[in-house]
Amino acid sequence: MRKTLDKSLNLDQLRSFALVIETGSFSAAADRLGLSQPAVSLQIRQLERRLAVRLVERVGKRAQATPAGMELLRHAQNIETAVENAIDALAEHASGIAGRVRLGTGATACLHFLPSVLRGLRERFPELGVVVSTGNTEDQARKVEENSLDLALVTLPVAGRSLAVMPVLDDEFVAVGRQDLAPLKSKVAPGDLAGLPLVLFEPAANTRKLVDRWFAAEGLQPQPVMELGSVEAMKEMVAAGLGYAIVPGMAMTGRGAHPELKTSRLNPRMHRGLAIVVRRDKPVSKALRVVLDAIMAAGKPGRH
């Protein structure tokens, strides 16, 4: 009697296998999955026994796919996408808005733009969970491409062939200094700031590149006394009398206003664009749609 072939696959094992090959490490894959390394190793062994082939081999210190493993990887993304599409399609038939949406953004937008958006979503859709993580534009865009984030609110420009980019708002930059220490004029040009001690963004940030271009247009190159990755830290350094800073305008409004600091507009004006990025092939569930719509609505003129 002919034995019936079992064609079932364990999706958790498949995901672990793909991450081991992507990271080149069982321990790195375990960290990404929130599992122990032995648990991931067991999943790979079980998958190999199930398929009766060796999938992973070690080349030096790096885990790589065998020829059979490479064949499986070619199908893994299609399998994951098909499962996501099926789940999202069923979600369309569910009553109400529920589920989890993974949102990435920068620290400034997280502090000064998103709180009111997230509060509104919580009030309207109590069963909806929005998980927020922060990071720079490059990292957040990469995570959207990898599908470890559903969407991200990032500073333009952003690159990625698989990404759809939806502009949300323009945030004008301002200069800030202490009220009582040679306060700046109401409008300042690059020449007014170039000779002052400046507290600027760290060089890798998109916002720092905008600031450098603003100075370069006047043939100037700023020489910062500090380079920081946090707008809030920059504000505190300025409040301590350690220099002057150029920061996004949203960081100085509402709860972000600082009683010891005076803001000045820039001449010429400078602004950054914030945009939502999602994968072009991302199925848009009801939950993802309401989050997208809420962010876009909050970015309309007069709403922030």
Side-chain angles (χ1 to χ4, degrees), residues 158-169:
V158 61
R161 292 182 179 179
S162 65
L163 298 177
V165 180
M166 295 169 276
V168 174
L169 63 91

Side-chain angles (χ1 to χ4, degrees), residues 3-143:
K3 185 177 180 181
T4 302
L5 180 63
D6 180 5
K7 294 185 177 182
S8 63
L9 275 177
N10 183 298
L11 297 177
D12 290 335
Q13 294 172 0
L14 194 62
R15 174 64 173 158
S16 294
F17 164 67
L19 275 175
V20 167
I21 302 306
E22 178 187 329
T23 61
S25 164
F26 282 81
S27 58
D31 287 341
R32 291 269 291 272
L33 292 165
L35 300 173
S36 66
Q37 181 178 338
V40 171
S41 298
L42 176 60
Q43 285 184 327
I44 302 305
R45 289 197 302 272
Q46 290 172 335
L47 183 61
E48 289 178 327
R49 284 200 297 267
R50 165 69 192 81
L51 298 173
V53 291
R54 190 178 180 190
L55 299 171
V56 181
E57 61 185 358
R58 213 169 262 288
V59 179
K61 294 184 178 181
R62 187 172 180 84
Q64 295 187 356
T66 64
M70 290 300 297
E71 186 66 31
L72 180 59
L73 276 179
R74 279 191 280 270
H75 296 280
Q77 183 59 55
N78 291 336
I79 293 170
E80 184 176 354
T81 299
V83 172
E84 285 187 358
N85 289 346
I87 292 172
D88 289 332
L90 290 175
E92 294 297 324
H93 297 279
S95 60
I97 303 295
R100 185 182 71 157
V101 174
R102 302 162 299 174
L103 168 63
T105 191
T108 302
C110 185
L111 285 172
H112 302 292
F113 176 75
L114 283 178
S116 61
V117 176
L118 298 175
R119 183 178 63 246
L121 287 169
R122 174 69 61 85
E123 291 171 352
R124 291 167 57 205
F125 309 110
E127 299 301 316
L128 171 65
V130 182
V131 181
V132 182
S133 60
T134 60
N136 62 41
T137 290
E138 183 179 347
D139 289 342
Q140 302 290 44
R142 175 180 52 80
K143 289 179 181 179

